[in-house]
Amino acid sequence: MDIHLHNTKTRQKELLRPVVPGQVSMYVCGPTVYDRAHIGNARPVIVFDVLFRLLRHVYGADAVTYVRNFTDVDDKINARAAASGRSIGEITEETIKWYHEDMDALGTLRPTKEPRATDWIGAMVEMIEGLISSGHAYAAEGHVLFRVRSYEAYGALSGRSVDDMISGARVEVAPYKEDPLDFVLWKPSSDDLPGWESPWGRGRPGWHIECSAMAHGILGDSFDIHGGGNDLMFPHHENEIAQSCCAHPEGDFAHIWMHNEMLQVEGKKMSKSLGNFFTVRDLLDQGVPGEVIRFVFLGTHYRKPMDWTEKKRAEAEATLRKFYAQAAQGVGTGQPYVLIEKALADDLNTAGAIAELHQLSLADDIAELRYSLQFLGLMGDDVPAWSKAPVVDLSTYADHLSRLREAAMENKDFSAVDAMKTALLEAGVEVKMSKQGIDLEAKPGFDPAKLEALK
């Protein structure tokens, strides 16, 4: 099966032609491990997990190498350690454990390799030395910087000119820089910060060099796919290309660049100041199943902005309950539905794949529905236990609360109304009261067992 993917660098959809026939290599930028992953962080994980599954299906599991790194040396980690009084090692180990737990809950497969930046310091130093010797980098005051103007194609990925970058980019202005756009490959470390010995003194790597060193060390001079969120396109990915192509001119680094769009919450940019910022673990702890989170994400094409809403969550849960009820009646065919394969092979059209799931459900094609759910990472060997729990009819509780309110209006005693509202809220039920009536809605984390006392 031919796979076509949109290449950010060429601005067009291209046929995937592996560098090594029959073998596919992919590198995706992973997390900086200092805190829980928020739901925006989960989008590239799910997007490239779907691609990983498709590549394994088409080429064979042993023919696909998927690399996703952990950035475990970074100023954010240093700041978290200083603020908490904990060691950097404790923080990074704990955060990596959290990350695995949370991403596993979303039905994602572990990548083939998950290198940590701190294990590749030697390769970074060697690469930096090569860039200095070839004139693409220079040492200054304990720092090493990349000469941006030494790479003529700089800006091709993001579509920016160097002159435009100077006028509009937020770049660090430092006296040791030859040019404002030059970026750090190595920087000095004080005694209280992590550091490694190097030809330029004790220090630590800049952010961009780590991915270039790890990608080259594992995948070679040229590989097939490089992915990440579109917030990484500039400067991170632009800088990766420049330093990698200058360090290894015999190769051409990544052939296809893929970038997912960002995520919003209820139509607004996610931020702590707006109160709409939450982590994957927040949702899981509220009782939102990982399969539901994944299903909501798959409903929007990866190159389009995605909006997480409560309405989408509720609809996704209802749809999956229906799919699982059908899937529980039979066994899979061993092959996903061919139209789902075709949808994914067309630049990961996950929304199209979801539409085909609905068609299988309407046709009551249990065998193909079941295996297709598994292929999309929406189901394991069996339907999830949460989907077997009965859906509680809240209308009887709404009727009861309505009668209590009518009585309270007459006797002016609202204690019974307040008590029932409190019990409903504690059970995870949102209560909306108006002149038109009473509406009850189960929210994430709804616990029907807590309603037993109201019967």
Side-chain angles (χ1 to χ4, degrees):
M1 173 180 286
D2 287 343
I3 298 175
H4 292 83
L5 302 170
H6 184 271
N7 189 347
T8 305
K9 195 168 186 178
T10 62
R11 276 63 169 175
Q12 61 186 9
K13 202 180 295 185
E14 297 181 4
L15 173 66
L16 173 62
R17 295 184 177 91
V19 174
V20 178
Q23 302 280 325
V24 184
S25 49
M26 177 168 68
Y27 186 99
V28 176
C29 291
T32 299
V33 286
Y34 68 99
D35 206 349
R36 290 275 189 184
H38 59 69
I39 60 168
N41 300 143
R43 193 173 195 197
V45 179
I46 293 174
V47 166
F48 292 102
D49 178 71
V50 173
L51 179 55
F52 186 36
R53 289 170 180 270
L54 175 65
L55 294 172
R56 285 162 57 97
H57 175 69
V58 173
Y59 290 91
D62 295 336
V64 183
T65 302
Y66 171 21
V67 182
R68 185 181 67 212
N69 70 294
F70 285 115
T71 296
D72 60 347
V73 52
D74 185 86
D75 289 343
K76 291 179 180 178
I77 302 172
N78 301 338
R80 180 58 54 91
S84 65
R86 302 175 67 201
S87 73
I88 287 171
E90 281 183 280
I91 291 171
T92 57
E93 287 298 326
E94 179 182 63
T95 308
I96 289 172
K97 176 177 177 290
W98 287 345
Y99 189 81
H100 278 145
E101 291 172 350
D102 294 348
M103 298 308 118
D104 289 351
L106 301 182
T108 63
L109 303 173
R110 298 279 179 95
T112 315
K113 296 181 182 294
E114 294 184 288
R116 301 187 185 192
T118 52
D119 291 333
W120 289 80
I121 301 296
M124 296 179 210
V125 169
E126 183 179 349
M127 188 173 176
I128 294 170
E129 287 181 303
L131 288 168
I132 291 176
S133 65
S134 61
H136 291 291
Y138 57 95
E141 299 182 22
H143 295 75
V144 180
L145 298 108
F146 182 86
R147 283 191 176 96
V148 166
R149 292 183 187 273
S150 73
Y151 181 60
E152 292 184 0
Y154 192 83
L157 178 69
S158 57
R160 307 179 184 206
S161 72
V162 172
D163 291 336
D164 288 342
M165 292 179 205
I166 290 176
S167 62
R170 291 176 294 175
V171 294
E172 179 189 1
V173 178
Y176 48 79
K177 281 189 175 186
E178 294 179 355
D179 188 294
L181 282 181
D182 293 348
F183 59 86
V184 172
L185 300 174
W186 189 265
K187 53 189 174 182
S189 290
S190 56
D191 292 341
D192 60 330
L193 293 175
W196 292 262
E197 294 303 323
S198 79
W200 319 287
R202 183 177 180 275
R204 60 198 190 279
W207 174 33
H208 313 298
I209 193 68
E210 66 176 68
C211 288
S212 288
M214 289 186 280
H216 179 264
I218 299 171
L219 300 178
D221 298 336
S222 303
F223 57 94
D224 299 309
I225 302 165
H226 195 312
N230 68 356
D231 58 324
L232 298 180
M233 190 188 310
F234 182 84
H236 185 51
H237 289 165
E238 200 75 75
N239 291 352
E240 274 191 70
I241 292 173
Q243 62 200 12
S244 294
C245 289
C246 290
H248 307 288
E250 64 278 12
D252 48 15
F253 202 43
H255 283 195
I256 294 178
W257 285 83
M258 297 177 65
H259 294 91
N260 62 273
E261 259 286 359
M262 296 294 98
L263 176 143
Q264 297 179 322
V265 175
E266 301 290 350
K268 297 180 180 179
K269 183 178 179 180
M270 186 170 63
S271 71
K272 291 180 180 178
S273 62
L274 292 176
N276 64 353
F277 179 96
F278 44 90
T279 67
V280 173
R281 179 51 51 181
D282 289 336
L283 287 179
L284 295 171
D285 287 347
Q286 290 168 18
V288 182
E291 296 89 350
V292 170
I293 299 172
R294 185 182 182 96
F295 192 84
V296 172
F297 277 48
L298 296 187
T300 302
H301 190 273
Y302 78 93
R303 288 195 294 113
K304 294 182 178 180
M306 189 203 128
D307 192 15
W308 173 275
T309 68
E310 173 58 25
K311 180 181 178 182
K312 286 182 180 178
R313 181 212 62 80
E315 290 174 346
E317 181 173 335
T319 299
L320 283 175
R321 281 181 179 274
K322 179 181 69 173
F323 288 168
Y324 293 148
Q326 290 177 287
Q329 299 172 29
V331 295
T333 61
Q335 291 293 326
Y337 186 40
V338 64
L339 293 183
I340 289 179
E341 292 177 322
K342 289 183 177 180
L344 296 185
D346 181 15
D347 195 29
L348 292 188
N349 183 5
T350 53
I354 295 295
E356 295 301 338
L357 282 180
H358 283 285
Q359 292 302 314
L360 290 175
S361 175
L362 287 171
D364 205 25
D365 191 338
I366 294 170
E368 291 214 51
L369 175 63
R370 183 184 179 94
Y371 194 81
S372 295
L373 287 167
Q374 294 172 329
F375 177 56
L376 289 168
L378 292 166
M379 190 176 119
D381 293 335
D382 196 7
V383 298
W386 64 263
S387 70
K388 301 174 185 177
V391 179
V392 177
D393 182 4
L394 295 176
S395 62
T396 55
Y397 297 97
D399 291 342
H400 186 197
L401 183 57
S402 180
R403 289 193 294 271
L404 289 177
R405 185 172 70 163
E406 289 176 4
M409 295 291 287
E410 292 183 8
N411 59 30
K412 308 302 180 184
D413 181 4
F414 286 86
S415 58
V417 174
D418 293 339
M420 186 170 183
K421 282 177 61 178
T422 299
L424 288 166
L425 291 171
E426 289 178 350
V429 178
E430 183 179 5
V431 180
K432 297 179 181 179
M433 304 178 71
S434 67
K435 293 180 179 179
Q436 287 71 38
I438 293 174
D439 182 39
L440 304 181
E441 181 181 349
K443 306 298 286 186
F446 169 57
D447 184 358
K450 291 183 178 180
L451 295 180
E452 292 298 315
L454 296 176
K455 288 186 175 179

